[in-house]
Amino acid sequence: LIWILFSFGLIWLIMMSDSKAYVAFAYLFYAFTLLLLVAVLAFGRKVNGAQSWFEIGSFRFQPSELTKVGTNLVIAHAMSRFGFSWYKMSDLLKLMAIWLVPPVLILLQNDTGSALVYGVFLLVFYREGMSAYILLFVGLSAFVAILALLLPLVALVVIIIAVTFFVLWQKG
């Protein structure tokens, strides 16, 4: 009941706030959440093998959940800035740094599940103009990584070589 009331209060606060506040505090909130991710490495409690929780009495808090919101806000701010382009290396490097720092810190906590959520940002990037080839490359890389876990190395190499020859044969 306490969480339901808290949630409704938070919903009301978000609806009543000015959207310019999100822009003004996006980077500050993102930096704060990154600081929490670093702090949980030193002061966090280990639950199910992942040191990703703060515990205050009976209250547990996982900073990676807030970091998802902060990352969304900062990426939205960076991409909505005038002059953002998928073809400018400086814009891409900034976007990749914003996107990849949180999952790296989360992986250091041994919380792979929370880190994998950041892969969904690729769909947002694709929707906003990222090349489909990058999405395809990442998808194929993930597929090969899963095959590497399931198959012996020789079988994996044979599959990769066969697919490569098939693709080249179709083009030529």
Side-chain angles (χ1 to χ4, degrees), residues 46-126:
K46 195 173 262 194
V47 175
N48 295 328
Q51 186 168 340
S52 60
W53 294 85
F54 284 124
E55 187 171 0
I56 303 167
S58 63
F59 176 74
R60 286 188 184 168
F61 168 66
Q62 193 173 20
S64 63
E65 298 303 322
L66 274 182
T67 308
K68 294 170 191 170
V69 175
T71 305
N72 274 312
L73 289 172
V74 172
I75 285 176
H77 182 267
M79 290 178 71
S80 66
R81 196 189 74 223
F82 180 74
F84 174 82
S85 171
W86 286 103
Y87 303 106
K88 286 177 23 186
M89 187 58 74
S90 61
D91 286 347
L92 284 179
L93 291 175
K94 180 180 178 183
L95 196 62
M96 293 304 117
I98 292 167
W99 174 51
L100 291 176
V101 168
V104 167
L105 291 173
I106 293 169
L107 283 173
L108 291 174
Q109 300 168 10
N110 201 22
D111 190 6
T112 309
S114 292
L116 284 174
V117 171
Y118 285 83
V120 175
F121 279 99
L122 288 172
L123 298 175
V124 174
F125 296 157
Y126 172 70

Coordinates of all heavy atoms in Angstrom, one line a residue, residues 46-126:
K46 N 25.3 -7.7 -1.4 CA 25.2 -8.7 -2.4 C 23.9 -9.6 -2.2 O 23.7 -10.1 -1.2 CB 26.4 -9.6 -2.2 CG 26.7 -10.5 -3.4 CD 28.0 -11.2 -3.3 CE 29.1 -10.5 -4.1 NZ 30.3 -11.3 -4.3
V47 N 23.2 -9.6 -3.3 CA 21.9 -10.4 -3.3 C 22.0 -11.3 -4.6 O 22.1 -10.8 -5.7 CB 20.7 -9.5 -3.4 CG1 19.4 -10.3 -3.5 CG2 20.6 -8.6 -2.2
N48 N 21.9 -12.6 -4.4 CA 22.0 -13.6 -5.5 C 23.2 -13.4 -6.3 O 23.1 -13.5 -7.6 CB 20.7 -13.5 -6.4 CG 19.5 -13.9 -5.6 OD1 19.5 -14.8 -4.7 ND2 18.3 -13.3 -6.0
G49 N 24.3 -13.1 -5.7 CA 25.6 -13.0 -6.4 C 25.9 -11.7 -7.1 O 26.9 -11.4 -7.6
A50 N 24.9 -10.7 -7.0 CA 25.1 -9.4 -7.6 C 25.2 -8.4 -6.5 O 24.2 -8.3 -5.7 CB 24.0 -9.1 -8.6
Q51 N 26.2 -7.6 -6.5 CA 26.4 -6.5 -5.5 C 25.8 -5.3 -6.1 O 26.5 -4.4 -6.5 CB 27.8 -6.3 -5.1 CG 28.0 -5.3 -4.0 CD 29.4 -5.3 -3.5 OE1 30.1 -6.3 -3.6 NE2 29.8 -4.3 -2.8
S52 N 24.5 -5.2 -6.2 CA 23.8 -4.1 -6.8 C 22.7 -3.5 -6.0 O 21.8 -2.8 -6.6 CB 23.2 -4.6 -8.2 OG 22.3 -5.7 -8.0
W53 N 22.7 -3.7 -4.7 CA 21.6 -3.2 -3.9 C 22.1 -2.4 -2.7 O 23.1 -2.8 -2.1 CB 20.8 -4.4 -3.3 CG 20.1 -5.2 -4.3 CD1 20.6 -6.2 -5.1 CD2 18.7 -5.1 -4.7 NE1 19.6 -6.7 -5.9 CE2 18.5 -6.0 -5.7 CE3 17.7 -4.2 -4.3 CZ2 17.2 -6.2 -6.3 CZ3 16.5 -4.3 -4.9 CH2 16.2 -5.3 -5.9
F54 N 21.4 -1.3 -2.4 CA 21.6 -0.6 -1.2 C 20.5 -1.1 -0.2 O 19.4 -1.3 -0.6 CB 21.4 0.9 -1.3 CG 22.6 1.6 -2.0 CD1 22.4 2.3 -3.1 CD2 23.9 1.5 -1.5 CE1 23.5 3.0 -3.7 CE2 25.0 2.1 -2.1 CZ 24.8 2.9 -3.2
E55 N 20.9 -1.3 1.0 CA 19.9 -1.7 2.0 C 20.0 -0.8 3.2 O 21.0 -0.6 3.8 CB 20.2 -3.1 2.5 CG 19.2 -3.7 3.3 CD 19.4 -5.2 3.6 OE1 20.4 -5.8 3.1 OE2 18.6 -5.8 4.3
I56 N 18.8 -0.2 3.5 CA 18.6 0.7 4.6 C 17.5 0.1 5.5 O 16.3 0.3 5.1 CB 18.3 2.1 4.2 CG1 19.4 2.6 3.3 CG2 18.2 3.0 5.4 CD1 19.1 3.9 2.5
G57 N 17.8 -0.6 6.5 CA 16.8 -1.3 7.3 C 16.2 -2.4 6.5 O 16.9 -3.2 5.9
S58 N 14.9 -2.4 6.3 CA 14.2 -3.4 5.5 C 14.0 -2.9 4.1 O 13.4 -3.6 3.2 CB 12.9 -3.7 6.1 OG 12.0 -2.6 6.2
F59 N 14.4 -1.7 3.8 CA 14.3 -1.1 2.5 C 15.5 -1.4 1.6 O 16.6 -1.2 2.0 CB 14.1 0.5 2.6 CG 14.0 1.2 1.3 CD1 12.9 1.2 0.6 CD2 15.1 1.9 0.9 CE1 12.8 1.9 -0.6 CE2 15.0 2.6 -0.3 CZ 13.9 2.6 -1.1
R60 N 15.2 -2.0 0.4 CA 16.3 -2.3 -0.6 C 16.0 -1.4 -1.8 O 14.9 -1.2 -2.2 CB 16.2 -3.7 -1.0 CG 16.8 -4.7 0.1 CD 16.9 -6.0 -0.5 NE 17.3 -7.0 0.5 CZ 17.3 -8.3 0.4 NH1 16.8 -8.8 -0.7 NH2 17.7 -9.0 1.3
F61 N 17.1 -1.0 -2.4 CA 17.1 0.0 -3.5 C 18.2 -0.4 -4.5 O 19.3 -0.6 -4.1 CB 17.3 1.4 -3.0 CG 17.6 2.4 -4.0 CD1 16.6 2.7 -5.0 CD2 18.8 3.0 -4.1 CE1 16.8 3.7 -6.0 CE2 19.0 4.0 -5.1 CZ 18.1 4.3 -6.0
Q62 N 17.8 -0.6 -5.8 CA 18.8 -0.9 -6.8 C 19.0 0.3 -7.7 O 18.1 0.7 -8.5 CB 18.2 -2.1 -7.6 CG 19.2 -2.7 -8.5 CD 18.7 -4.0 -9.2 OE1 17.5 -4.2 -9.3 NE2 19.6 -4.8 -9.7
P63 N 20.2 0.9 -7.6 CA 20.4 2.2 -8.4 C 20.4 2.0 -9.9 O 20.1 3.0 -10.6 CB 21.8 2.6 -8.0 CG 22.2 1.8 -6.8 CD 21.3 0.6 -6.7
S64 N 20.6 0.8 -10.4 CA 20.5 0.6 -11.8 C 19.2 1.0 -12.4 O 19.1 1.3 -13.6 CB 20.9 -0.8 -12.2 OG 20.0 -1.7 -11.7
E65 N 18.1 0.9 -11.6 CA 16.8 1.2 -12.1 C 16.7 2.7 -12.4 O 16.1 3.1 -13.4 CB 15.7 0.7 -11.2 CG 15.7 -0.8 -10.9 CD 15.5 -1.6 -12.2 OE1 14.7 -1.1 -13.1 OE2 16.1 -2.6 -12.4
L66 N 17.2 3.5 -11.5 CA 17.2 5.0 -11.7 C 18.1 5.4 -12.9 O 17.8 6.3 -13.6 CB 17.7 5.7 -10.4 CG 16.7 6.0 -9.4 CD1 17.4 6.7 -8.2 CD2 15.5 6.8 -9.9
T67 N 19.2 4.6 -13.0 CA 20.1 4.9 -14.1 C 19.5 4.8 -15.5 O 19.8 5.5 -16.4 CB 21.4 4.0 -14.0 OG1 21.9 4.1 -12.7 CG2 22.5 4.5 -14.9
K68 N 18.6 3.8 -15.6 CA 17.9 3.7 -16.9 C 17.1 5.0 -17.2 O 17.1 5.4 -18.4 CB 16.9 2.5 -16.8 CG 17.6 1.2 -16.7 CD 16.7 0.1 -16.4 CE 17.4 -1.2 -16.0 NZ 16.5 -2.2 -15.5
V69 N 16.5 5.6 -16.2 CA 15.7 6.8 -16.5 C 16.7 7.9 -16.8 O 16.5 8.7 -17.8 CB 14.9 7.2 -15.2 CG1 14.2 8.5 -15.4 CG2 13.9 6.1 -14.9
G70 N 17.8 8.0 -16.1 CA 18.8 9.1 -16.3 C 19.4 8.9 -17.7 O 19.6 9.9 -18.4
T71 N 19.7 7.7 -18.1 CA 20.2 7.5 -19.4 C 19.2 7.9 -20.5 O 19.6 8.5 -21.5 CB 20.7 6.0 -19.6 OG1 21.5 5.7 -18.5 CG2 21.3 5.8 -20.9
N72 N 18.0 7.5 -20.3 CA 16.9 8.0 -21.3 C 16.9 9.5 -21.4 O 16.8 10.0 -22.6 CB 15.6 7.4 -20.9 CG 15.3 6.0 -21.3 OD1 15.5 5.7 -22.5 ND2 14.9 5.2 -20.4
L73 N 16.9 10.2 -20.3 CA 16.8 11.6 -20.4 C 18.0 12.3 -21.1 O 17.8 13.1 -21.9 CB 16.7 12.2 -18.9 CG 15.4 12.0 -18.2 CD1 15.5 12.4 -16.7 CD2 14.3 12.7 -18.9
V74 N 19.2 11.8 -20.8 CA 20.4 12.4 -21.4 C 20.5 12.0 -22.9 O 20.8 12.9 -23.7 CB 21.6 11.9 -20.6 CG1 22.9 12.4 -21.3 CG2 21.6 12.5 -19.2
I75 N 20.1 10.8 -23.2 CA 20.1 10.4 -24.7 C 19.1 11.3 -25.4 O 19.4 11.8 -26.5 CB 19.9 8.9 -24.9 CG1 21.2 8.2 -24.5 CG2 19.5 8.6 -26.3 CD1 21.1 6.7 -24.5
A76 N 17.9 11.4 -24.9 CA 16.9 12.2 -25.5 C 17.4 13.7 -25.7 O 17.2 14.3 -26.7 CB 15.6 12.2 -24.7
H77 N 18.0 14.2 -24.7 CA 18.5 15.6 -24.7 C 19.6 15.7 -25.8 O 19.7 16.6 -26.6 CB 19.1 16.0 -23.4 CG 19.6 17.4 -23.3 ND1 20.9 17.7 -23.6 CD2 18.9 18.6 -23.2 CE1 21.0 19.0 -23.5 NE2 19.9 19.6 -23.2
A78 N 20.6 14.7 -25.8 CA 21.7 14.8 -26.8 C 21.2 14.6 -28.2 O 21.6 15.3 -29.1 CB 22.7 13.7 -26.4
M79 N 20.2 13.8 -28.4 CA 19.7 13.5 -29.8 C 18.8 14.6 -30.3 O 18.6 14.8 -31.5 CB 19.0 12.2 -29.9 CG 20.0 11.0 -29.8 SD 19.2 9.4 -29.8 CE 18.7 9.3 -31.5
S80 N 18.2 15.3 -29.4 CA 17.2 16.4 -29.8 C 18.0 17.7 -30.0 O 17.4 18.7 -30.4 CB 16.1 16.6 -28.8 OG 16.6 17.0 -27.5
R81 N 19.2 17.8 -29.6 CA 20.0 19.0 -29.8 C 20.1 19.3 -31.3 O 20.2 18.5 -32.1 CB 21.4 18.7 -29.2 CG 22.2 20.0 -28.9 CD 23.6 19.6 -28.5 NE 24.2 19.2 -29.8 CZ 25.0 18.1 -30.0 NH1 25.3 17.4 -29.0 NH2 25.5 17.8 -31.1
F82 N 20.1 20.6 -31.6 CA 20.2 21.1 -33.0 C 21.5 20.6 -33.5 O 22.5 20.8 -32.9 CB 20.0 22.6 -33.1 CG 20.1 23.1 -34.4 CD1 19.1 22.9 -35.3 CD2 21.2 23.7 -34.9 CE1 19.1 23.4 -36.6 CE2 21.3 24.2 -36.2 CZ 20.3 24.0 -37.1
G83 N 21.5 20.1 -34.7 CA 22.7 19.7 -35.4 C 23.2 18.3 -35.1 O 24.2 17.9 -35.6
F84 N 22.4 17.5 -34.3 CA 22.8 16.1 -34.1 C 22.7 15.3 -35.4 O 21.8 15.5 -36.2 CB 21.9 15.4 -33.1 CG 22.2 14.0 -32.9 CD1 23.2 13.5 -32.1 CD2 21.4 13.0 -33.6 CE1 23.5 12.2 -31.9 CE2 21.7 11.7 -33.5 CZ 22.7 11.3 -32.6
S85 N 23.8 14.5 -35.7 CA 23.8 13.8 -36.9 C 24.4 12.4 -36.6 O 25.4 12.3 -35.9 CB 24.6 14.5 -38.0 OG 24.8 13.6 -39.1
W86 N 23.8 11.4 -37.2 CA 24.4 10.0 -37.1 C 25.7 9.9 -37.9 O 26.4 8.9 -37.7 CB 23.4 9.0 -37.6 CG 22.3 8.8 -36.7 CD1 21.0 9.3 -36.9 CD2 22.3 8.0 -35.5 NE1 20.2 8.9 -35.8 CE2 21.0 8.1 -35.0 CE3 23.3 7.3 -34.8 CZ2 20.7 7.5 -33.8 CZ3 22.9 6.7 -33.6 CH2 21.6 6.8 -33.1
Y87 N 26.0 10.9 -38.7 CA 27.2 10.9 -39.5 C 28.4 11.7 -39.0 O 29.5 11.7 -39.5 CB 26.9 11.3 -41.0 CG 25.8 10.5 -41.6 CD1 24.5 11.1 -41.7 CD2 26.0 9.2 -42.0 CE1 23.4 10.3 -42.2 CE2 25.0 8.5 -42.5 CZ 23.7 9.0 -42.6 OH 22.7 8.2 -43.1
K88 N 28.2 12.4 -37.8 CA 29.2 13.1 -37.2 C 29.8 12.2 -36.1 O 29.2 11.8 -35.2 CB 28.7 14.4 -36.6 CG 28.4 15.5 -37.6 CD 27.9 16.8 -37.2 CE 28.1 17.2 -35.8 NZ 27.3 18.4 -35.4
M89 N 31.1 12.0 -36.2 CA 31.8 11.1 -35.3 C 31.7 11.6 -33.8 O 31.6 10.8 -32.9 CB 33.3 10.9 -35.7 CG 34.0 9.9 -34.9 SD 33.3 8.3 -34.9 CE 33.7 7.7 -36.5
S90 N 31.8 12.9 -33.6 CA 31.7 13.5 -32.3 C 30.4 13.2 -31.6 O 30.3 12.9 -30.5 CB 32.0 15.0 -32.3 OG 31.0 15.7 -33.1
D91 N 29.3 13.3 -32.4 CA 28.0 13.0 -31.9 C 27.8 11.5 -31.6 O 27.3 11.1 -30.5 CB 26.9 13.4 -32.9 CG 26.7 14.9 -33.0 OD1 27.2 15.6 -32.1 OD2 26.0 15.3 -34.0
L92 N 28.4 10.7 -32.4 CA 28.3 9.2 -32.2 C 29.1 8.8 -31.0 O 28.6 8.0 -30.1 CB 28.8 8.5 -33.4 CG 27.9 8.4 -34.6 CD1 28.5 7.6 -35.7 CD2 26.6 7.8 -34.2
L93 N 30.3 9.4 -30.8 CA 31.1 9.0 -29.6 C 30.4 9.5 -28.3 O 30.4 8.8 -27.3 CB 32.5 9.6 -29.8 CG 33.4 9.0 -30.9 CD1 34.7 9.8 -31.0 CD2 33.6 7.5 -30.6
K94 N 29.9 10.7 -28.4 CA 29.2 11.2 -27.2 C 28.0 10.3 -26.8 O 27.8 9.9 -25.7 CB 28.7 12.6 -27.4 CG 28.0 13.2 -26.2 CD 27.5 14.6 -26.6 CE 26.7 15.2 -25.4 NZ 26.2 16.6 -25.7
L95 N 27.2 9.9 -27.9 CA 26.0 9.1 -27.7 C 26.4 7.7 -27.1 O 25.8 7.1 -26.2 CB 25.3 8.9 -29.0 CG 23.8 8.4 -28.9 CD1 23.0 9.4 -28.1 CD2 23.3 8.3 -30.3
M96 N 27.5 7.1 -27.7 CA 27.9 5.8 -27.3 C 28.5 5.8 -25.8 O 28.3 4.9 -25.1 CB 29.0 5.2 -28.2 CG 28.5 4.9 -29.6 SD 27.1 3.8 -29.6 CE 25.8 4.7 -30.3
A97 N 29.2 6.9 -25.5 CA 29.7 7.0 -24.1 C 28.5 7.1 -23.1 O 28.5 6.4 -22.1 CB 30.6 8.3 -24.0
I98 N 27.5 7.9 -23.4 CA 26.3 8.1 -22.6 C 25.6 6.7 -22.4 O 25.2 6.3 -21.3 CB 25.3 9.1 -23.1 CG1 25.9 10.5 -23.1 CG2 24.0 9.0 -22.4 CD1 25.1 11.5 -23.9
W99 N 25.6 6.0 -23.5 CA 24.8 4.7 -23.6 C 25.6 3.6 -22.9 O 25.0 2.8 -22.2 CB 24.5 4.4 -25.0 CG 23.9 3.0 -25.2 CD1 22.8 2.5 -24.6 CD2 24.3 2.1 -26.2 NE1 22.5 1.3 -25.1 CE2 23.5 1.0 -26.1 CE3 25.4 2.0 -27.1 CZ2 23.6 -0.2 -26.9 CZ3 25.5 0.9 -27.9 CH2 24.6 -0.2 -27.8
L100 N 26.9 3.5 -23.0 CA 27.7 2.3 -22.6 C 28.2 2.4 -21.2 O 28.6 1.4 -20.6 CB 28.8 2.0 -23.6 CG 28.3 1.6 -25.0 CD1 29.4 1.4 -25.9 CD2 27.5 0.3 -24.8
V101 N 28.4 3.6 -20.6 CA 29.0 3.7 -19.3 C 28.1 3.0 -18.2 O 28.6 2.2 -17.5 CB 29.3 5.2 -18.9 CG1 29.6 5.3 -17.4 CG2 30.4 5.7 -19.7
P102 N 26.8 3.2 -18.2 CA 26.0 2.5 -17.2 C 26.0 1.0 -17.2 O 26.3 0.3 -16.2 CB 24.6 3.0 -17.4 CG 24.8 4.4 -18.1 CD 26.0 4.2 -18.9
P103 N 25.9 0.4 -18.4 CA 25.9 -1.1 -18.4 C 27.3 -1.7 -18.0 O 27.4 -2.7 -17.4 CB 25.6 -1.5 -19.8 CG 25.6 -0.3 -20.7 CD 25.5 0.9 -19.8
V104 N 28.4 -0.9 -18.3 CA 29.7 -1.4 -17.9 C 29.8 -1.4 -16.4 O 30.2 -2.4 -15.7 CB 30.8 -0.5 -18.5 CG1 32.2 -0.8 -17.8 CG2 30.9 -0.8 -20.0
L105 N 29.3 -0.3 -15.7 CA 29.3 -0.3 -14.3 C 28.4 -1.3 -13.7 O 28.7 -1.9 -12.6 CB 28.9 1.1 -13.8 CG 29.9 2.3 -14.1 CD1 29.3 3.6 -13.7 CD2 31.1 2.0 -13.3
I106 N 27.3 -1.6 -14.4 CA 26.3 -2.6 -13.9 C 26.9 -4.0 -14.0 O 26.8 -4.9 -13.2 CB 25.0 -2.5 -14.6 CG1 24.3 -1.2 -14.2 CG2 24.1 -3.7 -14.3 CD1 23.1 -0.8 -15.1
L107 N 27.7 -4.2 -15.1 CA 28.4 -5.5 -15.3 C 29.4 -5.8 -14.2 O 29.6 -6.9 -13.7 CB 29.0 -5.6 -16.6 CG 28.1 -5.9 -17.8 CD1 28.8 -5.8 -19.1 CD2 27.4 -7.3 -17.6
L108 N 30.0 -4.7 -13.7 CA 31.0 -4.8 -12.6 C 30.3 -5.2 -11.3 O 31.0 -5.8 -10.4 CB 31.7 -3.5 -12.4 CG 32.7 -3.0 -13.5 CD1 33.2 -1.6 -13.2 CD2 33.8 -4.0 -13.6
Q109 N 29.0 -5.0 -11.2 CA 28.3 -5.5 -10.1 C 27.8 -6.9 -10.2 O 27.2 -7.4 -9.3 CB 27.0 -4.6 -9.9 CG 27.3 -3.1 -9.7 CD 26.0 -2.3 -9.8 OE1 24.9 -2.8 -9.9 NE2 26.2 -1.0 -9.9
N110 N 28.1 -7.5 -11.3 CA 27.7 -8.9 -11.6 C 26.2 -9.0 -11.8 O 25.6 -10.0 -11.4 CB 28.2 -9.9 -10.6 CG 28.3 -11.3 -11.1 OD1 28.3 -11.5 -12.3 ND2 28.2 -12.2 -10.1
D111 N 25.6 -8.0 -12.4 CA 24.1 -8.0 -12.7 C 23.9 -7.9 -14.2 O 23.5 -6.9 -14.7 CB 23.5 -6.8 -12.0 CG 22.0 -6.8 -12.0 OD1 21.4 -7.8 -12.4 OD2 21.4 -5.8 -11.5
T112 N 24.2 -9.0 -14.9 CA 24.1 -9.0 -16.3 C 22.7 -8.7 -16.8 O 22.5 -8.1 -17.9 CB 24.6 -10.4 -16.8 OG1 25.8 -10.7 -16.2 CG2 24.7 -10.4 -18.3
G113 N 21.7 -9.2 -16.2 CA 20.3 -9.0 -16.6 C 20.0 -7.5 -16.7 O 19.3 -7.1 -17.7
S114 N 20.3 -6.7 -15.7 CA 20.1 -5.3 -15.8 C 20.9 -4.6 -16.9 O 20.4 -3.7 -17.5 CB 20.4 -4.6 -14.4 OG 19.5 -5.1 -13.5
A115 N 22.1 -5.1 -17.1 CA 23.0 -4.5 -18.1 C 22.4 -4.8 -19.5 O 22.5 -4.0 -20.4 CB 24.4 -5.0 -18.0
L116 N 21.8 -6.0 -19.7 CA 21.3 -6.3 -21.0 C 20.1 -5.5 -21.5 O 19.9 -5.3 -22.7 CB 20.8 -7.8 -21.0 CG 21.9 -8.8 -21.1 CD1 21.4 -10.2 -21.0 CD2 22.7 -8.7 -22.4
V117 N 19.4 -4.9 -20.5 CA 18.3 -4.0 -20.9 C 18.8 -2.8 -21.7 O 18.0 -2.3 -22.6 CB 17.7 -3.4 -19.6 CG1 16.7 -2.3 -19.8 CG2 17.0 -4.6 -18.8
Y118 N 20.0 -2.4 -21.6 CA 20.6 -1.3 -22.4 C 20.7 -1.6 -23.9 O 20.8 -0.7 -24.7 CB 21.9 -0.8 -21.8 CG 21.7 0.0 -20.6 CD1 21.6 -0.7 -19.3 CD2 21.7 1.3 -20.6 CE1 21.4 0.1 -18.2 CE2 21.5 2.1 -19.5 CZ 21.3 1.4 -18.3 OH 21.1 2.1 -17.1
G119 N 20.6 -2.9 -24.2 CA 20.6 -3.3 -25.6 C 19.3 -2.8 -26.4 O 19.3 -2.6 -27.6
V120 N 18.3 -2.6 -25.6 CA 17.0 -2.0 -26.2 C 17.2 -0.7 -26.8 O 16.5 -0.3 -27.8 CB 15.9 -2.1 -25.2 CG1 14.6 -1.4 -25.7 CG2 15.6 -3.5 -24.7
F121 N 18.2 0.1 -26.3 CA 18.5 1.4 -26.9 C 18.8 1.3 -28.3 O 18.6 2.3 -29.1 CB 19.6 2.1 -26.1 CG 19.2 2.7 -24.8 CD1 19.4 2.1 -23.6 CD2 18.6 4.0 -24.8 CE1 19.0 2.7 -22.4 CE2 18.2 4.6 -23.7 CZ 18.4 3.9 -22.5
L122 N 19.4 0.2 -28.8 CA 19.7 0.0 -30.2 C 18.4 0.2 -31.1 O 18.5 0.7 -32.2 CB 20.3 -1.3 -30.5 CG 21.8 -1.5 -30.0 CD1 22.2 -2.9 -30.1 CD2 22.7 -0.5 -30.7
L123 N 17.3 -0.3 -30.6 CA 16.0 -0.2 -31.3 C 15.6 1.3 -31.4 O 15.1 1.8 -32.4 CB 14.9 -1.0 -30.7 CG 15.2 -2.5 -30.7 CD1 14.1 -3.2 -30.0 CD2 15.3 -3.0 -32.1
V124 N 15.8 2.0 -30.3 CA 15.6 3.5 -30.3 C 16.5 4.2 -31.3 O 16.0 5.0 -32.0 CB 15.7 4.1 -28.9 CG1 15.6 5.6 -28.9 CG2 14.8 3.4 -27.9
F125 N 17.8 3.8 -31.2 CA 18.7 4.4 -32.2 C 18.3 4.2 -33.6 O 18.4 5.0 -34.5 CB 20.1 4.0 -31.9 CG 20.7 4.3 -30.6 CD1 21.7 3.6 -30.0 CD2 20.2 5.4 -29.8 CE1 22.2 4.0 -28.8 CE2 20.7 5.8 -28.6 CZ 21.7 5.0 -28.1
Y126 N 17.9 2.9 -33.9 CA 17.5 2.6 -35.3 C 16.3 3.4 -35.7 O 16.2 3.9 -36.8 CB 17.2 1.1 -35.3 CG 16.6 0.7 -36.6 CD1 17.3 0.7 -37.8 CD2 15.2 0.3 -36.7 CE1 16.7 0.3 -39.0 CE2 14.7 -0.1 -37.9 CZ 15.4 -0.1 -39.0 OH 14.8 -0.5 -40.2

